Amino acid sequence: MGPFITHNYLGDPFHLFGTIHLLTIGLIILLSILLYLFRKRFTEKNKLIFRYGASIIIILNEIFWHIWNIGGGTWNIQKLLPLWVCSVLIWLTPFLLIGKNRFLYDFFYFMGIIGALQAIATPDIGIYGFPHSRYFQFFIGHGGLLLAVFYMTWVEGFRPTWQSVWKVLIGMNLYWGFTAIVNALIGSNYLYTGGKLETASMLDILGPYPWYLLSIEALGIVFIIALYLPYAIRDRKVAGLH
């Protein structure tokens, strides 16, 4: 394998909140701002190109990740089944973008934004710093997920409702329980039901195992309500005008 694809990477390792990491975060923010600013200038042809183009890029990017692990002998069911929330959403992205699936949108809006932001802020990519392919793969996947949600919200006009809040809260708790069972059966740690990340992450400030699971639950509720709050305020103002 080439020096930027090899598993035995000898280049500069990833530095949390280092210059390259901050520039990458800045680029994702810039793309998000541009998407918002040009949201009303999308023609039907532009929309079609974005929806299909983004879907293809995101899926091919995820396929590359699995091929890379298979080629390096590091693929295993304990870490690489598509059970992580962001992984599930990434594989479902074409159904959201191309299919304009409103049921999936609710999960993308809340869990996609929460999951992608956490991943982008504290990436779990080990030694693979810029310009290794793993660095690009990680940020294309999670940045693309974030942009897909913003596109459906700002360009296609989708939005969550109070029913969305309850649907996602109940759905994610059921999924959390499902992954806990899978983890117990195969010795994995999807959704961190059995322990924290080995690298630094936001989980470090949430207390020891298993108490941090309650912290995650509480924070999840707070973040979901916070993401819905702008719509709740707007709906209240609109109702007050009638």
Side-chain angles (χ1 to χ4, degrees):
M1 290 186 178
F4 304 122
I5 300 178
T6 179
H7 284 248
N8 299 315
Y9 185 55
L10 300 177
D12 193 31
F14 173 75
H15 297 286
L16 184 65
F17 300 129
T19 301
I20 297 298
H21 184 203
L22 292 177
L23 286 174
T24 303
I25 292 174
L27 177 60
I28 294 171
I29 292 173
L30 175 61
L31 291 174
S32 301
I33 291 173
L34 290 174
L35 183 61
Y36 179 78
L37 292 177
F38 289 94
R39 67 192 185 282
K40 295 181 179 179
R41 301 181 66 175
F42 274 76
T43 64
E44 289 304 314
K45 182 180 179 180
N46 294 150
K47 291 179 181 179
L48 199 65
I49 292 172
F50 183 96
R51 285 172 20 233
Y52 277 86
S55 297
I56 291 170
I57 291 171
I58 289 171
I59 292 300
L60 288 179
N61 184 65
E62 191 70 4
I63 290 173
F64 167 80
W65 166 236
H66 287 274
I67 292 175
W68 181 75
N69 278 281
I70 292 170
T74 55
W75 198 99
N76 60 71
I77 63 172
Q78 282 74 32
K79 292 185 177 181
L80 291 169
L81 289 178
L83 292 176
W84 299 103
V85 172
C86 285
S87 295
V88 173
L89 294 178
I90 284 171
W91 284 112
L92 291 176
T93 298
F95 295 95
L96 173 73
L97 291 177
I98 298 173
K100 296 185 180 182
N101 191 300
R102 289 187 177 273
F103 178 86
L104 288 177
Y105 170 79
D106 292 335
F107 290 94
F108 271 84
Y109 178 79
F110 291 111
M111 301 314 301
I113 292 177
I114 293 171
L117 287 178
Q118 190 276 333
I120 290 168
T122 56
D124 180 22
I125 55 177
I127 65 170
Y128 302 106
F130 179 89
H132 193 276
S133 58
R134 169 58 174 152
Y135 186 91
F136 286 100
Q137 186 278 326
F138 183 90
F139 284 102
I140 288 173
H142 291 87
L145 177 58
L146 207 56
L147 291 173
V149 178
F150 291 158
Y151 169 83
M152 292 304 297
T153 304
W154 297 334
V155 179
E156 297 293 345
F158 282 35
R159 56 151 294 178
T161 64
W162 269 119
Q163 287 75 19
S164 307
V165 172
W166 288 108
K167 180 174 77 177
V168 172
L169 284 173
I170 294 171
M172 288 311 302
N173 273 283
L174 290 173
Y175 186 67
W176 207 7
F178 167 74
T179 56
I181 294 172
V182 172
N183 290 337
L185 291 174
I186 66 175
S188 54
N189 190 27
Y190 295 107
L191 272 61
Y192 312 116
T193 64
K196 299 180 183 180
L197 283 167
E198 296 178 0
T199 56
S201 74
M202 293 182 181
L203 296 177
D204 295 332
I205 63 175
L206 300 181
Y209 177 83
W211 303 110
Y212 76 85
L213 296 174
L214 295 178
S215 300
I216 292 176
E217 178 78 15
L219 280 177
I221 294 172
V222 170
F223 287 147
I224 286 174
I225 291 176
L227 284 171
Y228 182 68
L229 197 57
Y231 293 97
I233 293 173
R234 188 173 70 178
D235 289 346
R236 189 176 182 85
K237 287 183 178 179
V238 170
L241 295 176
H242 292 285

